């Protein structure tokens, strides 16, 4: 804007906020490009260009004005793109806008926990013997859906082509829909024993593929119904399981069984199947019935890897 205009005209936001105060009690207010007033606010779009006019000297006044809405609104900061401030009406109840989960975001601290190993932990030595994991499949910026305390991120040093891993858990949203993850944003998507917990695995896979870049890989493990549930439903080892899985059987004893090969066939125009394997190499069939994934050796699952076309 021409320098012929006054500073207030060139940067009108503070004056506009003063006009809105007391007149927008039930209105959602979204402020774009807050970098103009916040000198050290980190955004995915980077810092304000040197050539752009700023209001850094008015940052305190800007924050004070936002605080003046406290009786009617809550203030929320978003780092996406050039940065946003959202004033959410208290009359609308709990804040309902979720921040985008972006590649490279660290959504939780990564720390090893001693005790019973997780299913990803059990898989590591096997995967290190298969060069495809390190050279083709776990490459770039990944999303670990349901990674919890046993995320593939913990083992990043063993797969040197991984750039980063972002964990998607309850704190981020519903794993079935990934509603705050953008399309075609991650180089690989990983999930160990999460698909059995969602309401509709087909809907979940649709969205897991949606957020994967073309050419990227989806690496999934699920419990095998015969190795894990071992003929009993509902599951006695995890009461949150909503489905059982088999790699390929004509008939199943489980009323909620999903045939993995049939499931993948639903996506045959969208993916190339790179691997589908029953992980029974260390299962002990002669033992009394117990959850063998609580040991350090038996994965008791099915793994499939697909590439998005």
């Amino acid at each position: 804007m021409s320098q012929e205009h006054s500073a207030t005209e060139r940067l009108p936001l503070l004056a506009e906020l003063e006009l809105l105060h007391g007149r927008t009690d039930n209105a959602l207010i979204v402020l774009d490009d807050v970098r103009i007033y916040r000198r050290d606010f980190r955004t995915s779009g980077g810092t304000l260009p040197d050539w752009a006019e700023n209001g850094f000297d008015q940052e305190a006044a800007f924050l004070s004005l936002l605080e003046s809405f406290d009786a009617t609104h809550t203030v929320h900061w978003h780092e996406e793109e050039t940065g946003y401030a959202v004033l959410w009406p208290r009359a609308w109840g709990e804040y309902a806008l979720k921040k985008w989960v972006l590649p490279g975001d660290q959504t939780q601290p990564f720390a090893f926990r001693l005790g019973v190993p997780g299913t990803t932990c059990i898989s590591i030595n096997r995967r290190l013997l298969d060069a495809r994991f390190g050279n083709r499949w776990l490459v770039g910026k990944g999303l670990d859906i349901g990674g919890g305390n046993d995320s593939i991120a913990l083992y990043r040093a063993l797969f040197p082509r991984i750039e980063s891993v972002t964990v998607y858990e309850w704190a981020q949203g519903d794993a079935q829909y990934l509603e705050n993850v953008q399309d075609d944003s991650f180089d690989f998507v990983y999930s160990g024993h999460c698909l059995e917990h969602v309401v509709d695995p087909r809907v979940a896979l649709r969205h897991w593929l949606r957020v994967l870049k073309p050419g990227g890989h989806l690496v999934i493990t699920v419990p095998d119904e015969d190795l894990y549930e071992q003929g009993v439903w509902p599951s006695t080892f995890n009461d949150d399981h909503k489905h059982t899985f088999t790699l390929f059987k004509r008939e199943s004893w489980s009323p909620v069984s999903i045939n993995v090969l049939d499931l993948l066939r639903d996506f045959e125009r969208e993916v190339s199947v790179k691997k589908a394997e029953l992980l029974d190499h260390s299962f002990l069939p002669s033992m009394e019935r117990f959850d063998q994934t609580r040991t350090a050796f038996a994965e008791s699952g099915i793994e499939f890897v697909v590439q998005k076309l």
Side-chain angles (χ1 to χ4, degrees), residues 94 101 106 140 161:
E94 184 179 355
V101 175
Q106 185 168 335
R161 297 196 66 190

Side-chain angles (χ1 to χ4, degrees), residues 246-265:
T246 178
L247 182 60
F248 185 72
K249 293 191 303 188
R250 291 184 180 276
E251 297 181 358
S252 171
W253 51 264
S254 169
V256 291
S257 180
I258 293 177
N259 185 306
V260 168
L261 296 187
D262 286 343
L263 175 65
L264 294 178
R265 192 171 288 114

Side-chain angles (χ1 to χ4, degrees), residues 44-61:
S44 62
T47 58
L48 192 70
D50 292 338
W51 52 263
E53 186 169 5
N54 66 71
F56 295 158
D57 61 329
Q58 302 177 74
E59 181 173 12

Side-chain angles (χ1 to χ4, degrees), residues 202 205-206 209 263-271:
R202 285 176 172 81
L205 278 184
R206 173 73 56 200
L209 285 168
L263 175 65
L264 294 178
R265 192 171 288 114
D266 292 342
F267 299 89
E268 62 183 348
R269 296 182 181 274
E270 301 162 61
V271 304

Side-chain angles (χ1 to χ4, degrees), residues 119-134 137-138 152 159 189-196 205 217-225 227 245-248 258-261 263-264 272-281 299-306:
T119 53
T120 293
C121 177
I122 298 173
S123 75
I124 293 302
N125 284 330
R126 170 181 61 81
R127 286 171 170 159
L128 289 175
L129 297 175
D130 187 338
R132 294 174 297 177
F133 285 99
W137 298 339
L138 301 179
I152 193 67
F159 302 96
V189 173
Y190 174 92
S191 184
H193 287 241
C194 178
L195 195 61
E196 65 272 19
L205 278 184
H217 291 88
L218 185 65
V219 180
I220 306 295
T221 56
V222 292
D224 175 78
E225 62 187 30
L227 303 181
F245 292 86
T246 178
L247 182 60
F248 185 72
I258 293 177
N259 185 306
V260 168
L261 296 187
L263 175 65
L264 294 178
S272 171
V273 178
K274 300 302 181 183
K275 177 186 180 183
E277 179 185 359
L278 180 67
L279 303 175
D280 62 347
H281 51 280
E299 294 190 66
S300 305
I302 298 167
E303 179 172 73
F304 59 92
V305 179
V306 301

Side-chain angles (χ1 to χ4, degrees), residues 1-249:
M1 188 175 288
S2 171
Q3 293 297 321
E4 296 176 0
H5 294 84
S6 68
T8 301
E9 291 175 312
R10 294 197 304 272
L11 297 177
L13 182 58
L14 298 187
E16 292 171 348
L17 283 172
E18 290 177 348
L19 289 173
L20 291 174
H21 190 269
R23 297 182 174 89
T24 55
D25 293 0
N26 198 37
L28 175 69
I29 303 172
V30 180
L31 310 178
D32 187 14
D33 203 352
V34 296
R35 303 176 305 174
I36 293 173
Y37 293 95
R38 299 203 61 185
R39 183 189 303 271
D40 298 320
F41 187 69
R42 295 178 178 272
T43 71
S44 62
T47 58
L48 192 70
D50 292 338
W51 52 263
E53 186 169 5
N54 66 71
F56 295 158
D57 61 329
Q58 302 177 74
E59 181 173 12
F62 174 56
L63 296 176
S64 179
L65 267 173
L66 295 185
E67 290 175 2
S68 71
F69 285 79
D70 184 66
T72 56
H73 292 75
T74 56
V75 180
H76 306 269
W77 300 97
H78 289 254
E79 300 174 357
E80 294 89 348
E81 299 176 341
T82 59
Y84 299 85
V86 177
L87 279 70
W88 181 265
R90 292 186 182 275
W92 291 14
E94 184 179 355
Y95 187 58
L97 299 181
K98 296 179 184 289
K99 294 183 178 181
W100 288 112
V101 175
L102 301 173
D105 283 355
Q106 185 168 335
T107 55
Q108 66 180 42
F110 298 137
F112 284 99
R113 296 191 178 186
L114 301 180
V116 177
T119 53
T120 293
C121 177
I122 298 173
S123 75
I124 293 302
N125 284 330
R126 170 181 61 81
R127 286 171 170 159
L128 289 175
L129 297 175
D130 187 338
R132 294 174 297 177
F133 285 99
N135 290 324
R136 302 180 194 173
W137 298 339
L138 301 179
V139 175
K141 295 181 178 180
L143 182 69
D144 185 340
I145 302 172
N149 298 319
D150 188 39
S151 168
I152 193 67
L154 293 171
Y155 314 98
R156 176 181 166 187
L158 302 176
F159 302 96
R161 297 196 66 190
I162 292 180
E163 294 180 36
S164 64
V165 177
T166 298
V167 176
Y168 197 97
E169 272 287 350
W170 284 111
Q172 285 67 58
D174 189 336
Q176 177 165 292
Y177 298 104
L178 304 180
E179 59 186 354
N180 52 344
V181 183
Q182 296 172 329
D183 297 357
D184 305 329
S185 55
F186 283 89
D187 298 307
F188 71 90
V189 173
Y190 174 92
S191 184
H193 287 241
C194 178
L195 195 61
E196 65 272 19
H197 294 276
V198 304
V199 174
D200 191 328
R202 285 176 172 81
V203 170
L205 278 184
R206 173 73 56 200
H207 286 283
W208 296 8
L209 285 168
R210 171 182 61 80
V211 307
L212 182 64
K213 291 180 180 179
H217 291 88
L218 185 65
V219 180
I220 306 295
T221 56
V222 292
D224 175 78
E225 62 187 30
D226 295 321
L227 303 181
Y228 187 80
E229 276 84 16
Q230 300 174 37
V232 177
W233 185 259
S235 176
T236 55
F237 301 134
N238 193 314
D239 59 10
D240 189 56
H241 283 192
K242 298 175 178 62
H243 309 274
T244 67
F245 292 86
T246 178
L247 182 60
F248 185 72
K249 293 191 303 188

